[in-house]
Amino acid sequence: MTTPPDGLPRYRVLTGPDDASFCRRVSEALDLGYRLHEGPALTFDGENVVVAQAVVWPTGPEERG
């Protein structure tokens, strides 16, 4: 597949509290075929650790594995 499914963009930033739900969202993106872009970013909002993870759709054969 050369484009992401369901009209999703090639680049996405997933954000949310650092919990199992966030990890599932990242895992679902990886299962669709996205690849992690760099490492996650973390911050603290006064109550929770909030994480951001960029994912990209591989565009060339070398990226698709």
Side-chain angles (χ1 to χ4, degrees):
M1 182 181 294
T2 59
T3 59
D6 302 325
L8 292 169
R10 291 182 315 164
Y11 176 86
R12 298 169 60 194
V13 177
L14 306 173
T15 62
D18 187 16
D19 59 13
S21 175
F22 176 80
C23 293
R24 277 191 290 277
R25 289 174 51 220
V26 172
S27 294
E28 288 169 1
L30 296 175
D31 289 344
L32 285 174
Y34 282 90
R35 300 287 184 253
L36 297 177
H37 180 70
E38 304 292 333
L42 301 163
T43 191
F44 184 69
D45 69 3
E47 292 183 29
N48 301 297
V49 173
V50 178
V51 64
Q53 177 63 62
V55 294
V56 294
W57 189 258
T59 56
E62 67 283 352
E63 294 175 317
R64 288 193 285 270

